[in-house]
């Protein structure tokens, strides 16, 4: 496979968590070459240089894309969410027109097995491939019906791991649609980018298996029980590709707890060393 | 540093756990070159070839040393323990006379940080460097007084991780002393090699910090509490070098539980991949 394209959209405070994620990707991701697109608006050059040097040590290429004040000047922003919330939804407007596919990754994840299978997913005409978190069906229905007005949607998709069909997106994702939706629903948006993704594009999302590609680190018991005991810890370590540390207490915090936290902290240490 | 010398003494059933241990050593141990001495008596040539090939993939050199029936012919054995229990205690008799130092490692461990500091320990005239498991002081005293007859010993040392001063051992460890002790105490030995180590050599053991070099995977709370909260999970991942999966339910078992088990199972997967 040629180099894989990855997208991260973080601010300066999260760069060291991106480093942890990239370290896990280097050790487990399975590919030789990665192009890491970093879309941001206010990371200082010195910080960009530092993460670029780090990427080079991991044999990855960092490609920073800085947005300016007048980009997406029309985007509605509030005290609670900034323009940065649009970066992943509008990736097809920001990234080079030569890219046909990219894997968006939140910074609060670990890659523990090869992402070849995920990256190679045949997306057909879908705009995104993403996972709904299972075992939460009722909540998903509720969210879709009440908040998003899409009662028949397949689930409430998590926007933390998304394979993006940039070719399809270029023709079909329009920034004005997104800005209009946000303006009309400003008060009801809780997780703005995720809500927009679900409200506007849920029919164009290819569902991924979250236990493989967006494993919610808090829900071992749910995966285990709903699989009739198949998805035990051996299964997770042997099959799951991406662990997503959802929730408020992030695994890099001192007080983090949970059964996948030691693994995360081990990768923090590996990242310091690499 | 030149190549580090490691000693493992296992039977064929444990070779795949040695592979997991070596994979963690490759990623975290910090040295370029390792010589892995494997002392055994009955591992088939094909299995030796397989682990040798694996070591070569990890850029390690496997040096197998097969003992024969008539080696240590005088050693007392019972239904509960075989001649293999003597291999680590008699390493100085078995290994090449050119080796001055070696690090013995049980197969049920992970190396999660550099072993440089441990390997470089100045042993003076000590025969071994080993760790007593802390937080168990009363039990240690009891064992030493009642079972081993060494009430003033510093602790009950764990024989799972031992740095060996082979030069000193050659002059001072005598197989007859060991065999005599075992014969005289046959009924009282519970963990034979460890009991012999403590009964005969506890005064010649340089104590190591178990929280660094022989961290008992079952005792996170003990380390945490006895350190006044300093040795939390960040501390462990940043400082502990060797995690020892003590106890009966080994971390490679399906039903294993405990907060360091997911990390172990992740390394099982890495070992399969390397």
């Amino acid at each position: 496979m040629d180099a894989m394209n990855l997208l991260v959209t973080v601010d300066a405070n999260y760069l060291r968590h991106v480093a942890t994620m990239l370290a896990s990707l280097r050790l487990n991701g399975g590919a030789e070459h990665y192009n890491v697109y970093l879309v941001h608006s206010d990371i200082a050059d010195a910080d960009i240089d530092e993460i670029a040097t780090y990427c080079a040590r991991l044999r990855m290429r960092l490609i920073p894309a800085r947005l300016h004040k007048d980009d997406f000047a029309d985007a509605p922003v509030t005290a609670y969410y900034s323009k940065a919330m649009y970066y992943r939804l509008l990736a097809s407007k920001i990234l080079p027109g030569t890219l046909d596919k990219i894997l968006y990754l939140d910074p609060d994840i670990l890659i523990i097995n090869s992402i070849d299978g995920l990256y190679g997913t045949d997306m057909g005409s879908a705009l995104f491939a993403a996972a709904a978190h299972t075992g939460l069906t009722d909540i998903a229905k509720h969210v879709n019906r009440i908040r998003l007005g899409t009662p028949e949607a397949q689930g409430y998709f998590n926007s933390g791991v998304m394979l993006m069909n940039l070719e399809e997106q270029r023709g079909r994702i329009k920034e004005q649609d997104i800005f209009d939706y946000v303006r009309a629903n400003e008060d009801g948006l809780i997780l703005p980018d995720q809500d927009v993704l679900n409200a506007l594009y849920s029919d164009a999302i290819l569902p991924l298996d979250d236990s493989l590609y967006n494993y919610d680190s808090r829900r071992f018991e749910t995966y285990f029980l709903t699989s009739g005991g198949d998805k035990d810890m051996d299964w997770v370590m042997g099959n799951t590709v991406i662990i997503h540390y959802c929730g408020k207490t992030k695994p890099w915090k001192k007080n983090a707890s949970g059964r996948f936290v030691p693994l995360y902290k081990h990768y923090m240490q590996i990242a310091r060393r690499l």
Side-chain angles (χ1 to χ4, degrees), chain A residues 215 217-227 231 259:
Chain A
Y215 185 102
S217 68
R218 301 166 300 181
R219 302 198 182 275
F220 174 81
E221 286 80 3
T222 305
Y223 293 116
F224 181 75
L225 293 173
T226 57
S227 67
K231 295 182 179 173
R259 64 181 85 212

Side-chain angles (χ1 to χ4, degrees), chain A residues 55-156:
Chain A
C55 282
R57 278 219 301 283
L58 301 187
R59 288 168 288 121
M60 299 180 175
R61 193 156 67 103
L62 185 79
I63 302 153
R66 180 194 294 276
L67 296 183
H68 295 281
K69 270 202 183 134
D70 46 348
D71 293 321
F72 307 124
D74 191 32
V77 297
T78 75
Y80 295 104
Y81 46 86
S82 69
K83 230 188 264 183
M85 71 164 264
Y86 300 105
Y87 296 167
R88 76 185 88 170
L89 293 173
L90 293 174
S92 61
K93 313 293 174 199
I94 300 168
L95 296 169
T98 50
L99 290 184
D100 59 348
K101 184 197 273 193
I102 201 161
L103 178 61
Y104 169 83
L105 296 172
D106 264 359
D108 54 351
I109 70 167
L110 287 183
I111 289 93
I112 63 166
N113 278 301
S114 169
I115 60 171
D116 263 16
L118 171 59
Y119 199 84
T121 303
D122 179 1
M123 297 183 69
S125 63
L127 297 177
F128 301 91
H133 282 147
T134 52
L136 298 165
T137 324
D138 291 343
I139 297 173
K141 275 188 191 145
H142 186 74
V143 167
N144 285 325
R145 193 173 61 239
I146 304 295
R147 283 203 8 244
L148 308 178
T150 55
E152 56 302 296
Q154 314 167 70
Y156 182 73

Side-chain angles (χ1 to χ4, degrees), chain A residues 177-196:
Chain A
D177 292 349
I178 293 173
F179 300 160
D180 288 350
Y181 179 85
V182 171
R183 258 191 210 96
N185 296 275
E186 210 155 314
D187 296 336
L189 297 179
I190 294 176
L191 302 163
D193 52 347
Q194 201 161 275
D195 285 350
V196 174

Side-chain angles (χ1 to χ4, degrees), chain A residues 35-52:
Chain A
N35 297 320
V36 182
Y37 289 83
L38 169 61
V39 175
H40 71 103
S41 57
D42 60 359
I43 302 180
D45 288 348
D47 292 335
I48 292 286
D49 287 351
E50 196 181 323
I51 188 79

